[in-house]
Amino acid sequence: MSGANGTSGPGESTFAALRGQLQEAAATFAGGPDALEGILLGMVDDVDRAVREPLEIFPVCHHSPASALAMARRLREKQPKVVYLELCEDMAPLLTELRNCRLPVAVQAFAGDVDGFPAEWAPLSVVAPITEASAEYQAIAYALDTPGVELVLVDRSSDHVFQWDGRGERTPGPVTDDRGSGTGTPASEVPEAEAALHGEAVGVEIGDLRPRFAELEEHLLRHGKVRHWSEWWHQYVEVPLGDSDHDTYRQVMFLIGSLFRRLAPGDGARVRVDEDRERYMWTRMREHLAATETDPADCVYVCGAFHAASRVEEFGVHGTTGAFTISPRTATTWQYGLIPSSHAAIEAQFGLAAGSVSIAATEWAKGLKRTRVQPYRLAGQAGTRKSPAKRTRGKAAAAPAPQATAADHLSGFLRRPPVLDGLDEAELLGWSVDIVRAARRNGYLASTADAIAVFETSILLAGMRDRAKPTPYDFQDAAVTCIEKDSVPGRRDVRRLVEIMMGGDRIGQVGYEALPPLARDVYDRLAPLELKLQQRGVQRALLDMASRPELRACSDVLWMLRRLLPHGAARPIMGERRLGERSIQESWDLALGTHQRALIELGYEGVSLEQVLEQRLRREAYGPRATTATVLAAVEDATLYLRSRRLADELGTHALKVLAAERSVDGAPEVLRRVRALLAYYRTSEPVLPPWIESFVKTGYAHYCTLLPTAFRDEDATVGQVAAMLGFLFSMESLALSLGCDRTQLELAVAQSHPEDPSKTALLWAAQVQLGTLSRAELRARCDELLDNPLVVPAYPRYLSGFVHALEPVPGLADVVVEAVSNAFGRLPDAVLLPWLPLLITTLRSGAADLAPLLIREAGRVFPGRLAALDAWIPPWRTPRTDPFAARRAVQAPQPRPGTALLAAHPATCDAVAELLGCTQGWAPTDAPAAASGMPLLAAHPATCDAVAALLGCRGGWTAAPGASPSGAALTARHPATSEALESLLART
């Protein structure tokens, strides 16, 4: 066995000539033996070692048409009995479902709940994309459809992918397991819908061949006169190896893998993972060979060229045994499925150039026609044509006789000058015409002259890059140069049009039979819609539940899908679902085929939508970051989508515990909004309130009373949050008091509040007005004092912001807020008003946009409706204040009472009626002054008057001297708050 230090082993004679040439070249260029000679001779040793291995190693590059052609050709020649494939061993049972899918798709391992990994890593996902133009698919199709052939996956399991991850902190975003940093298309240039098909899964790429040495890659790109790695690989590897024989292909791929492996940077963790994978695979293969007693000559090992040139001690069927121990898997439960993939998703996942996978698919089709190789396809594979190879399937071709010593095909390949393909004018002309046609359809002013220019420029660019035949990349550059002059008129630029013309972004689809039970159940329950929901694109669904009651079940499914799937998968156009409301007609835009991956991943969480939704609601409510608003949202969703009183009561009870444990008021606005909605729903749909919501109101009343003084002083608490707290206290006060709460607690909390912020100060004044400790007249006086103080005028907009927020807990102050704003605009000069006018507008817009309609309605009621009436209009707050009862008495005093003349004309009748009713006072003197109507009644029943005053918030009591006659003016003086309340009521009527 040859080593890595330039020494040769038993097979020295095979590559002796090549080894001597490289040694001379190293001495010539380096001026003597040095590290370069060791690298070059070590590469030859790696090739020699891999070629002499009894178990045939087939090195591949992922999504390489040359590898796929060589794989198909070799399988038909050798007809191996066992195929060892570099793929996660736990994904093997899923490969049979590939025949029910349209490629490209990705095999996925998913774990939502982790056990043995950090919790922040969840969910874990591993994907392995598979396309038809890949050597792995050829091996899978051959093994599954050929009788007597066994397919064995030998790479580490999905669990070991994360065990060997070596990342102390897992960052979001796709992280590949088998690729290096490259110069692919940035993620921003890839279409989001197609690039997100793999989500944030860790990609396992079979046969990655990309130099991990950035300087080497830059050197290859510069001297190859190409822009990115995909173009270099196509020009210098794909094209030369497309028609090569089996031995040449293997030796060249071994050499490339050894080169990239020896020049890889010294990342210890990365190298350790690579070597552990190689030890893992060789250990599994030796275990299988020993268990089945299979002859290694009847097997083939398909792996990446990087791993084929391995130098670990466990390499080969005769390698060291027992030195490597495979660690057990964790307790994490993994679920497996197939998800749709696309060319763009593969390119974005593994950093390939945009369009490279589509170009590879085109080259694969051209290679099949040129070489007449019969590819392998799974029986019943969707989206593929029937292969003529079916007629010969199962008939093993005669395998070539094994050679004792492999011939040296590498020396001739390296010395042979590049074969210059002749210019295929018909193909290039077709490309030029097609791109001009596509450009004109997308808004470009392209003509026949542009097609000629693209044709000539493609040839010119190929000549400048030392190639006779323009590649698709040369043609793409020529099309951009000649057609895309200065701007892009449509959605797609010329580069994207060329990618579409070369094959487009093919998107795979998972068949119905390969879907998890939940996804199949969704399609079955939506069958009454009579739509082809598995097709990509947006479809319109119209639901008339009045004429077709069976569609109500479809509506329930769609609303749950809207809650669970990403935005755009199920989007309502008409209709809504709120507490206590159900639509009789709905219209939906459905794109379930486009979001098939998300629907499939729902199947990993449960067997029905209801189960998944309940699990998610519990996870959100009981999570470590759950707030009271989050739990109440879960209660609302459980009522809306699941109609589960049991779950709603359970989550509502949990909301009590979360509320009691909170020490901040950040979620007060959301809590207020949701509690109001739930209360309104239960009051209209239930005979009695649920016990949990009564306890919630009672607990919340005491909780917010306790936090109110702190919130007024806390700089982090916004005025909107404090206003929401007051809104909860005032709007829930009647229910809380009926449940046993004490109003004195709220009064003490307001009395202990001493804010420093102007907006919170105004909010405190509004609360005092609501409690009755501050009159509206005193509030108006304080607003006037603010305008009279020039030091406070710059902060006046912040006071107004507090008053506007006060409309949430005290909506009756709308007239006072309108008055405060109007006084500011009327009294302040322009020099003072104009500087803080923008601040006023921005403050109100950002902090109280939802309360502005209430303010506008009040202003519309107060201000005149016509512009002509504005000059003569007097604001209500400037109208002289008079006793409204005195005005009524003045109108009613001169008018004689109805029937008094008749009573005077017939006194006997009046006396008889008075005697019958028990009135013995007799007739009053005609010269006596008339007493005010109703005043003796108030004096006779002072308790009733006090009760009415308390109902209106008046606590002044009687102050008149004993024996004084309680006239209307005296009552007004004794109960000023009552007078103001009645005055306001009369003004509104």
Side-chain angles (χ1 to χ4, degrees):
M1 194 69 66
S2 58
N5 56 358
T7 62
S8 57
E12 181 178 358
S13 59
T14 302
F15 296 97
L18 177 60
R19 185 176 289 106
Q21 294 174 9
L22 293 179
Q23 190 170 9
E24 293 177 2
T28 302
F29 287 103
D34 62 351
L36 177 60
E37 179 181 353
I39 292 175
L40 295 179
L41 297 182
M43 291 164 51
V44 178
D45 293 337
D46 291 342
V47 175
D48 193 7
R49 183 187 189 191
V51 167
R52 293 180 177 278
E53 173 58 35
L55 174 59
E56 180 179 332
I57 303 174
F58 195 94
V60 300
C61 176
H62 199 42
H63 307 303
S64 167
S67 295
L69 287 171
M71 185 83 257
R73 187 187 299 113
R74 182 56 178 169
L75 290 174
R76 293 199 179 276
E77 292 175 354
K78 184 175 182 177
Q79 294 288 316
K81 297 180 181 179
V82 178
V83 177
Y84 297 112
L85 183 62
E86 179 191 337
L87 189 63
C88 294
E89 59 183 3
D90 52 338
M91 294 181 176
L94 206 62
L95 297 181
T96 56
E97 296 294 340
L98 288 175
R99 66 179 75 253
N100 298 320
C101 306
R102 184 174 67 244
L103 301 180
V105 296
V107 185
Q108 183 184 35
F110 184 89
D113 299 326
V114 297
D115 187 356
F117 300 106
E120 59 271 14
W121 285 20
L124 305 180
S125 179
V126 179
V127 296
I130 298 176
T131 62
E132 186 180 357
S134 60
E136 317 89 85
Y137 176 74
Q138 294 300 308
I140 293 172
Y142 163 78
L144 295 182
D145 281 356
T146 304
V149 177
E150 184 179 3
L151 177 65
V152 182
L153 306 186
V154 295
D155 199 1
R156 55 182 176 166
S157 66
S158 303
D159 197 90
H160 286 91
V161 169
F162 291 93
Q163 283 190 35
W164 298 353
D165 198 4
R167 287 171 289 163
E169 298 180 358
R170 185 168 186 255
T171 56
V175 181
T176 60
D177 178 60
D178 229 354
R179 54 166 272 206
S181 59
T183 57
T185 302
S188 59
E189 298 181 13
V190 180
E192 294 182 1
E194 289 78 5
L197 288 179
H198 294 176
E200 297 183 358
V202 172
V204 177
E205 183 176 6
I206 305 172
D208 172 69
L209 270 188
R210 187 166 193 159
R212 299 180 184 175
F213 194 20
E215 296 180 4
L216 172 61
E217 182 172 349
E218 182 182 357
H219 175 82
L220 294 176
L221 298 182
R222 184 175 66 255
H223 288 274
K225 299 179 181 179
V226 294
R227 290 169 299 144
H228 44 71
W229 174 251
S230 300
E231 185 176 359
W232 185 94
W233 182 265
H234 173 271
Q235 178 64 26
Y236 295 98
V237 179
E238 288 291 332
V239 174
L241 291 182
D243 299 325
S244 62
D245 60 274
H246 173 63
D247 291 333
T248 302
Y249 168 82
R250 289 183 68 207
Q251 293 175 20
V252 171
M253 294 295 284
F254 286 144
L255 183 68
I256 295 175
S258 177
L259 171 65
F260 293 161
R261 188 183 188 100
R262 289 182 176 273
L263 295 183
D267 185 353
R270 181 74 177 272
V271 173
R272 185 182 67 252
V273 170
D274 288 334
E275 293 180 348
D276 286 346
R277 290 183 62 191
E278 293 155 7
R279 295 186 178 97
Y280 193 105
M281 290 187 285
W282 281 109
T283 301
R284 289 303 192 202
M285 284 186 285
R286 282 198 299 270
E287 291 175 353
H288 182 269
L289 290 173
T292 60
E293 299 182 354
T294 306
D295 186 359
D298 295 331
C299 306
V300 63
Y301 170 35
V302 183
C303 68
F306 186 88
H307 298 291
S310 174
R311 300 189 302 274
V312 297
E313 297 179 355
E314 289 80 3
F315 178 87
V317 294
H318 302 297
T320 304
T321 303
F324 178 73
T325 303
I326 299 177
S327 60
R329 301 183 187 180
T330 65
T332 300
T333 302
W334 289 89
Q335 298 179 351
Y336 304 91
L338 296 170
I339 62 174
S341 184
S342 67
H343 292 173
I346 296 172
E347 292 159 0
Q349 182 89 26
F350 302 109
L352 303 176
S356 60
V357 180
S358 299
I359 293 176
T362 303
E363 293 296 322
W364 159 254
K366 291 170 57 178
L368 292 178
K369 294 180 180 179
R370 184 181 69 255
T371 61
R372 297 183 180 180
V373 173
Q374 294 180 354
Y376 286 95
R377 292 188 177 96
L378 289 171
Q381 182 73 64
T384 60
R385 294 175 296 178
K386 292 183 179 180
S387 173
K390 280 188 176 182
R391 296 192 299 266
T392 60
R393 180 174 294 119
K395 298 180 181 180
Q403 300 179 2
T405 304
D408 179 9
H409 296 263
L410 194 55
S411 300
F413 181 84
L414 296 177
R415 288 197 301 264
R416 185 173 65 241
V419 179
L420 299 178
D421 293 338
L423 175 61
D424 190 348
E425 293 188 1
E427 180 186 53
L428 186 57
L429 280 175
W431 288 356
S432 302
V433 173
D434 290 343
I435 189 59
V436 169
R437 183 184 298 113
R440 295 184 66 175
R441 285 198 301 263
N442 285 269
Y444 289 91
L445 299 178
S447 62
T448 305
D450 292 311
I452 298 174
V454 172
F455 179 84
E456 298 293 343
T457 306
S458 300
I459 299 175
L460 177 62
L461 288 176
M464 295 173 59
R465 295 167 178 173
D466 297 333
R467 40 186 179 254
K469 180 181 178 181
T471 65
Y473 301 98
D474 297 329
F475 173 76
Q476 188 178 54
D477 294 340
V480 172
T481 303
C482 299
I483 298 177
E484 193 172 290
K485 306 297 191 302
D486 53 357
S487 62
V488 178
R491 292 189 303 111
R492 300 185 177 97
D493 57 7
V494 175
R495 190 174 302 279
R496 178 62 178 160
L497 294 178
V498 173
E499 296 171 8
I500 296 174
M501 189 192 71
M502 289 293 177
D505 182 23
R506 299 180 186 176
I507 302 175
Q509 185 183 56
V510 179
Y512 178 86
E513 294 78 6
L515 291 173
L518 181 144
R520 293 200 299 267
D521 179 63
V522 169
Y523 286 127
D524 294 341
R525 295 168 69 177
L526 295 180
L529 298 179
E530 299 177 357
L531 296 176
K532 298 180 179 179
L533 297 177
Q534 287 189 277
Q535 292 183 354
R536 292 183 59 84
V538 179
Q539 303 181 63
R540 179 62 58 87
L542 302 176
L543 286 73
D544 186 2
M545 277 81 75
S547 60
R548 297 182 60 187
E550 68 273 11
L551 294 181
R552 294 188 180 276
C554 297
S555 175
D556 295 338
V557 173
L558 293 178
W559 283 108
M560 285 189 286
L561 290 176
R562 179 179 180 268
R563 174 65 170 76
L564 296 172
L565 293 181
H567 176 73
R571 185 167 62 93
I573 304 300
M574 181 183 69
E576 60 182 358
R577 176 159 292 193
R578 297 180 180 177
L579 289 174
E581 299 180 8
R582 291 292 186 272
S583 302
I584 60 174
Q585 288 184 336
E586 294 177 354
S587 176
W588 290 80
D589 275 352
L590 303 179
L592 298 183
T594 304
H595 296 81
Q596 193 181 48
R597 179 189 68 84
L599 181 61
I600 291 173
E601 290 187 348
L602 284 182
Y604 300 150
E605 303 181 41
V607 296
S608 66
L609 286 176
E610 289 79 5
Q611 180 186 5
V612 173
L613 182 55
E614 181 173 346
Q615 290 177 357
R616 288 197 179 184
L617 292 178
R618 291 181 185 276
R619 190 160 53 245
E620 293 171 2
Y622 290 93
R625 298 183 179 180
T627 62
T628 306
T630 305
V631 182
L632 291 178
V635 174
E636 185 175 343
D637 289 344
T639 306
L640 273 180
Y641 304 121
L642 299 177
R643 302 174 186 174
S644 174
R645 178 65 181 273
R646 170 191 57 80
L647 180 61
D649 291 347
E650 176 187 343
L651 298 179
T653 304
H654 179 64
L656 289 171
K657 303 177 182 178
V658 178
L659 177 66
E662 285 185 348
R663 293 297 177 264
S664 66
V665 296
D666 296 341
E670 188 71 11
V671 170
L672 173 63
R673 184 179 68 84
R674 295 194 179 277
V675 167
R676 281 179 174 175
L678 290 170
L679 269 176
Y681 168 73
Y682 285 126
R683 282 171 172 168
T684 56
S685 61
E686 300 287 344
V688 294
L689 291 177
W692 76 265
I693 201 168
E694 292 183 349
S695 301
F696 187 90
V697 172
K698 184 177 179 181
T699 304
Y701 188 86
H703 179 72
Y704 284 135
C705 284
T706 303
L707 296 181
L708 190 61
T710 305
F712 268 112
R713 292 191 304 268
D714 189 2
E715 296 180 356
D716 296 332
T718 64
V719 62
Q721 295 169 353
V722 180
M725 294 175 61
L726 291 174
F728 183 95
L729 295 172
F730 289 146
S731 61
M732 308 290 171
E733 184 177 12
S734 58
L735 179 59
L737 295 180
S738 67
L739 295 174
C741 294
D742 189 1
R743 195 170 193 262
T744 307
Q745 187 176 6
L746 175 59
E747 295 176 350
L748 292 175
V750 173
Q752 294 173 358
S753 301
H754 304 286
E756 297 180 357
D757 183 73
S759 58
K760 293 182 181 179
T761 301
L763 189 61
L764 178 62
W765 293 347
Q768 292 173 349
V769 171
Q770 179 70 13
L771 292 176
T773 58
L774 183 68
S775 65
R776 298 167 72 93
E778 293 175 339
L779 180 61
R780 290 188 175 94
R782 292 184 180 183
C783 293
D784 293 337
E785 293 176 1
L786 294 177
L787 290 175
D788 293 336
N789 191 345
L791 299 179
V792 183
V793 167
Y796 194 72
R798 301 178 64 184
Y799 284 95
L800 292 181
S801 176
F803 283 130
V804 174
H805 279 94
L807 298 180
E808 176 73 41
V810 191
L813 282 182
D815 57 335
V816 177
V817 179
V818 172
E819 176 183 347
V821 176
S822 302
N823 287 337
F825 279 84
R827 294 176 54 180
L828 296 177
D830 293 343
V832 178
L833 183 63
L834 293 179
W836 60 257
L837 186 59
L839 176 61
L840 172 64
I841 296 175
T842 56
T843 301
L844 295 180
R845 177 180 295 179
S846 62
D850 53 338
L851 299 173
L854 179 62
L855 199 61
I856 294 173
R857 286 197 300 268
E858 181 64 23
R861 187 190 66 82
V862 173
F863 288 93
R866 297 179 179 274
L867 184 62
L870 187 61
D871 294 336
W873 175 72
I874 299 176
W877 52 87
R878 292 188 180 178
T879 304
R881 300 180 181 273
T882 57
D883 184 6
F885 302 105
R888 290 192 177 186
R889 287 194 302 271
V891 174
Q892 295 176 359
Q895 298 178 356
R897 298 180 179 180
T900 54
L902 184 64
L903 293 177
H906 303 279
T909 304
C910 183
D911 292 339
V913 172
E915 183 179 358
L916 181 62
L917 296 176
C919 299
T920 59
Q921 288 84 355
W923 290 81
T926 56
D927 56 349
S933 176
M935 296 306 158
L937 186 63
L938 297 177
H941 302 281
T944 303
C945 184
D946 291 337
V948 173
L951 182 63
L952 297 176
C954 307
R955 298 177 179 272
W958 293 81
T959 57
S965 178
S967 62
L971 281 176
T972 301
R974 291 166 185 166
H975 298 282
T978 306
S979 176
E980 290 187 5
L982 293 175
E983 178 184 354
S984 176
L985 291 175
L986 292 174
R988 289 181 178 273
T989 56

